[in-house]
Amino acid sequence: MTTISLENKTILVTGAAGFIGSNLVKRLLHDTHTATIIGIDNMNDYYDVRLKEMRLDALKDPRFVFVRGDIADRDLIDRLFAEHKPAVVVNLAAQAGVRYSITNPDAYIQSNLIGFYNILEACRHNPVEHLVYASSSSVYGSNKKVPYSTDDKVDNPVSLYAATKKSNELLAHAYSKLYNIPSTGLRFFTVYGPAGRPDMAYFGFTNKLRRGETIQIFNFGNCKRDFTFVDDIVEGVVRIMQGAPEKRNGEDGLPVPPYNVYNIGNNQPENLLTFVDILQQELIRAGVLPADYDFEAHKELVPMQPGDVPVTYADTSALERDYGFKPSTSLRDGLRAFAEWYASFYGKA
């Protein structure tokens, strides 16, 4: 592994107004003293743009340069790299969501494939020390073996979203092999927390419960998810940014691809019913829901949705071995932080 100092470096974060991206930029501004962070985001309206604007407002700093634009715009990406010469690139820009990929496939091809290809090409033609990019636990599809290991075969995606993320890993591997670009892919497992994505179940549940609507819990409540608090994700990303796969030659004298993929998950899958029960307790505690809220009357158990999987469960042993880190935030602490943020942003009941 090659150690990289982030000081005196220019760092490019794509998807900088997104949930993980904005938290990463905030952390980098806090942790470094001389790094310059370039952020790019197209600010699309896949969900409430006010949330993205609120996240950006929290990043006011002379060392942070924000560019409103799309990574699918090749000319823009080439200009960005030519002007700023980023040494470390963190690609978090992507069209997210499994169900949305069924109804809006074009968005995934543009952002997740063409956009990522543009980033790879820019890394090829510029002296980038490390490319870190978001993959997803969705690549595991309907694998029966748990916990999910990065050694498992992942050739059976069950959604277009998952297929694009697997494609990112394949493209990165090819570019690492051909052009000796150190790259690390991160398979995130169900990320949640304050100012998260409203399309995620916990956020959607909260909105519906607050309006007195009934929430649907899929697979009759028998889904298990490796819920991972956003601060744990960011901690993992920051550590990995500073440790790039080593450039070296194999026995044939040719470069061995400086390429790695890691899971970042809580390594502790929770039943969806348990998750929702803790969520409603914390929403009541934070004042988002009234103390006498009848939770049982507002939930409905329904069958599985197309593209969904019954369980996600991360094997994080490689992350622990190589970076000495394992996510540890409890569901209670994470959902309490979300509920308190929600009460402050949207108001109490």
Side-chain angles (χ1 to χ4, degrees), residues 65-295:
V65 178
F66 179 70
V67 177
R68 182 168 182 156
D70 199 315
I71 62 168
D73 181 341
R74 176 69 179 271
D75 290 341
L76 173 62
I77 293 301
D78 287 348
R79 286 199 308 273
L80 209 60
F81 273 74
E83 182 181 346
H84 296 287
K85 294 280 189 287
V88 178
V89 177
V90 185
N91 186 63
L92 300 173
Q95 180 57 58
V98 168
R99 292 180 198 128
Y100 191 70
S101 71
I102 294 169
T103 53
N104 295 271
D106 288 6
Y108 292 78
I109 302 304
Q110 282 296 315
S111 183
N112 301 12
L113 294 184
I114 295 171
F116 189 60
Y117 162 74
N118 290 341
I119 295 292
L120 287 171
E121 274 291 293
C123 290
R124 170 189 173 186
H125 294 294
N126 291 276
V128 171
E129 295 177 40
H130 195 189
L131 166 64
V132 180
Y133 62 94
S135 184
S136 167
S137 62
S138 297
V139 301
Y140 290 107
S142 50
N143 275 22
K144 297 290 188 287
K145 176 186 151 298
V146 291
Y148 295 158
S149 166
T150 50
D151 295 328
D152 298 340
K153 282 180 73 69
V154 286
D155 296 332
N156 300 292
V158 295
S159 68
L160 176 64
Y161 170 67
T164 63
K165 287 302 189 179
K166 171 63 177 172
S167 299
N168 287 174
E169 296 180 5
L170 294 171
L171 288 165
H173 186 276
Y175 271 72
S176 288
K177 173 65 176 173
L178 290 169
Y179 310 114
N180 222 16
I181 302 167
S183 73
T184 305
L186 304 177
R187 294 174 179 171
F188 297 144
F189 282 70
T190 316
V191 189
Y192 75 101
R197 282 181 15 223
D199 65 315
M200 296 292 281
Y202 70 98
F203 208 129
F205 287 165
T206 301
N207 290 339
K208 285 187 172 182
L209 291 171
R210 195 165 187 245
R211 293 193 297 263
E213 298 173 13
T214 299
I215 62 171
Q216 293 186 325
I217 301 175
F218 294 110
N219 201 27
F220 306 103
N222 294 317
C223 281
K224 285 195 166 188
R225 290 286 178 269
D226 213 347
F227 296 101
T228 316
F229 191 59
V230 66
D231 288 2
D232 285 336
I233 292 285
V234 169
E235 176 68 31
V237 173
V238 170
R239 290 191 187 212
I240 285 165
M241 288 168 69
Q242 298 173 84
E246 187 180 357
K247 292 183 181 182
R248 58 188 176 86
N249 290 335
E251 293 176 0
D252 57 4
L254 296 173
V256 175
Y259 168 93
N260 271 323
V261 173
Y262 295 94
N263 290 330
I264 303 189
N266 217 34
N267 191 227
Q268 192 176 336
E270 301 276 2
N271 191 288
L272 192 53
L273 280 174
T274 303
F275 181 86
V276 175
D277 186 45
I278 295 173
L279 174 64
Q280 62 97 14
Q281 291 172 27
E282 291 304 326
L283 292 173
I284 289 171
R285 181 183 177 277
V288 175
L289 298 178
D292 60 352
Y293 194 85
D294 185 358
F295 175 57

